[in-house]
Amino acid sequence: MARSYSDQVNDNNILLIRQILAELPPYVKIFIRGIEPTTASRTRVGYCRDLKSFYEFLVTSNPYFKERGLSEISLEDLSDLQAEDIEEYLEYLKYYKKNGRVYTNGERAIKRKLSALRTFYAYLYKNDKVTANPAEKVDMPKIHKKAIIRMDTNEVAEFLDAVEYGNKLSERQQLYHKKTQKRDLALLTLMLGTGIRVSECVGIDINDIDFNNSRIKIVRKGGYESFVYFSDEVAEALLDYLDERKHINALSGHENAFFLSSQLRRISVRSVENLVKKYSAGVTPMKHITPHKLRSTYGTELYKETGDIYLVADVLGHSDVNTTKKHYADIDEERRRYAKDKVQLREKFDHN
């Protein structure tokens, strides 16, 4: 029996975790094993990468660890580090070179790496592996708010027109467009009409779609299964592509995938990112539209129509409603401004 897309992703993540851990001290493996019951494999990959980044900083930039291998850094070494060492690491992350390439990290990436280090130290300290927790003494960097980028209603219509008719594409792109038009329209209409994540979208199998109940079974970010419901407009695009998909023989191992690439494999996240970039370039040249921006666009429209932030959080698969509130605070401002004249305190009289 063929393994599901989410199982395959999980398998690949486990192999990647093992590969990274092979370069790090043995106690890091104990930490990763310790958090396994409460984290997704994708999250653990992130921890492994972030911790490896910290160890690489120590051996390349901290004089005490110069010429040491990553796996040679002991628990005693970690106990001896000071908060200042970790602050230097955060400064290093803003700009550094590795293997001839330049790397930079923004505020959110630096905050995530510090959060990983804090969780790591907290685990070691709680389990008496280290005698000090310098990461706890380092303040989280302040995140400056950025404007939420999303498409306006007229831009959504133009975007889907570009997908359906190819009218914003180059001549060369238009030739290729004819081969993928139904797939692209189904995929991007689905994303704009349900707000699902790109990883959830590419993981859809043919038998996950239930047209009788207008819903699709997906695997959410945390690894749990859920249903998203779609409109008649989305159903029309999906059915149109399904008629075409039934006559395509996918490669072995990809037979169940709903959305296929030109190579007859399950379409990849990167391919969807490129699709969104291609079609949005001629419609919103001043906005950098990504699959996540399609998700924000749907969430915005749903919130405007319902005013129910808890419904939006549930539909988008947010585990914490505060995540949702953070993204749609500017719409709340509009709603408050709209409400200012709605309550009349006294009846107005004509004094003339």
Side-chain angles (χ1 to χ4, degrees):
M1 181 179 175
R3 289 176 67 73
S4 69
Y5 172 74
S6 59
D7 286 338
Q8 291 175 26
V9 169
N10 194 53
D11 292 344
N12 291 336
N13 284 340
I14 289 172
L15 292 175
L16 185 54
I17 288 168
R18 290 174 183 170
Q19 181 182 332
I20 299 172
L21 287 177
E23 302 179 60
L24 299 175
Y27 55 82
V28 180
K29 183 186 292 186
I30 296 173
F31 162 68
I32 294 298
R33 191 186 304 128
I35 64 172
E36 184 174 351
T38 57
T39 56
S41 62
R42 176 183 174 185
T43 302
R44 296 195 299 280
V45 168
Y47 273 115
C48 288
R49 284 175 169 156
D50 289 341
L51 291 176
K52 183 182 176 185
S53 166
F54 177 63
Y55 280 88
E56 287 176 339
F57 158 75
L58 291 178
V59 300
T60 58
S61 302
N62 189 308
Y64 182 76
F65 298 102
K66 279 283 188 182
E67 309 305 323
R68 301 254 301 263
L70 302 185
S71 61
E72 296 173 25
I73 297 175
S74 67
L75 287 165
E76 290 75 17
D77 291 328
L78 291 187
S79 296
D80 290 340
L81 289 176
Q82 304 296 311
E84 186 178 336
D85 294 309
I86 294 173
E87 288 168 349
E88 286 180 359
Y89 168 58
L90 301 186
E91 179 63 31
Y92 159 88
L93 287 171
K94 293 178 182 177
Y95 180 95
Y96 65 96
K97 292 182 179 180
K98 177 182 170 184
N99 299 328
R101 284 184 59 187
V102 170
Y103 293 84
T104 60
N105 286 275
E107 292 173 336
R108 294 182 188 281
I110 291 173
K111 183 176 181 179
R112 190 196 71 237
K113 283 179 166 58
L114 175 57
S115 179
L117 203 53
R118 277 183 160 193
T119 303
F120 178 53
Y121 259 104
Y123 178 88
L124 296 176
Y125 190 72
K126 177 184 174 183
N127 290 279
D128 300 319
K129 301 291 186 183
V130 294
T131 56
N133 184 357
E136 188 181 33
K137 299 177 182 178
V138 180
D139 293 333
M140 280 290 186
K142 183 178 179 181
I143 302 296
H144 295 86
K145 286 186 177 180
K146 291 184 178 180
I148 303 296
I149 297 173
R150 52 177 79 93
M151 287 196 284
D152 299 327
T153 304
N154 64 307
E155 291 172 335
V156 170
E158 277 190 60
F159 176 79
L160 290 177
D161 281 348
V163 177
E164 185 167 8
Y165 305 112
N167 53 3
K168 300 283 186 179
L169 303 178
S170 67
E171 287 185 20
R172 184 178 177 183
Q173 286 175 328
Q174 284 176 346
L175 291 173
Y176 187 71
H177 172 258
K178 294 176 182 177
K179 299 176 183 177
T180 64
Q181 184 262 354
K182 289 184 179 181
R183 181 204 66 186
D184 295 353
L185 186 60
L187 191 155
L188 297 172
T189 300
L190 174 64
M191 293 188 71
L192 277 166
T194 61
I196 63 173
R197 297 177 177 90
V198 61
S199 57
E200 296 163 352
C201 184
V202 301
I204 294 171
D205 286 339
I206 296 172
N207 56 8
D208 288 333
I209 307 175
D210 177 2
F211 286 100
N212 291 328
N213 294 295
S214 301
R215 65 183 188 178
I216 300 176
K217 184 177 72 176
I218 60 170
V219 178
R220 288 293 194 188
K221 191 176 179 180
Y224 64 95
E225 290 186 349
S226 179
F227 287 102
V228 292
Y229 290 82
F230 53 82
S231 66
D232 291 343
E233 184 179 9
V234 174
E236 185 180 344
L238 292 176
L239 284 167
D240 202 24
Y241 169 63
L242 182 59
D243 287 340
E244 181 180 275
R245 172 66 183 84
K246 288 176 179 175
H247 298 95
I248 301 174
N249 293 318
L251 292 179
S252 177
H254 301 265
E255 299 93 341
N256 297 328
F258 184 59
F259 293 114
L260 294 176
S261 69
S262 300
Q263 289 75 40
L264 306 182
R265 301 173 183 273
R266 185 185 297 274
I267 197 167
S268 67
V269 169
R270 177 62 60 86
S271 294
V272 177
E273 290 170 344
N274 290 336
L275 281 183
V276 173
K277 182 179 179 181
K278 177 177 74 173
Y279 288 118
S280 63
V283 177
T284 57
M286 301 303 290
K287 293 180 181 178
H288 177 53
I289 302 298
T290 64
H292 192 75
K293 303 298 187 295
L294 303 188
R295 183 168 155 81
S296 296
T297 299
Y298 172 78
T300 299
E301 291 306 311
L302 183 60
Y303 189 36
K304 281 181 178 178
E305 289 297 321
T306 65
D308 188 339
I309 198 69
Y310 292 95
L311 174 64
V312 176
D314 187 43
V315 171
L316 292 180
H318 287 161
S319 56
D320 184 353
V321 74
N322 289 315
T323 303
T324 321
K325 286 179 177 177
K326 192 167 56 181
H327 281 81
Y328 304 109
D330 55 336
I331 303 176
D332 275 334
E333 191 67 31
E334 284 181 32
R335 291 166 62 84
R336 286 194 290 270
R337 192 179 299 117
Y338 175 75
K340 68 182 174 65
D341 296 322
K342 293 302 175 186
V343 177
Q344 185 176 318
L345 302 180
R346 292 192 296 170
E347 189 177 348
K348 294 180 181 178
F349 294 97
D350 187 352
H351 295 287
N352 293 329

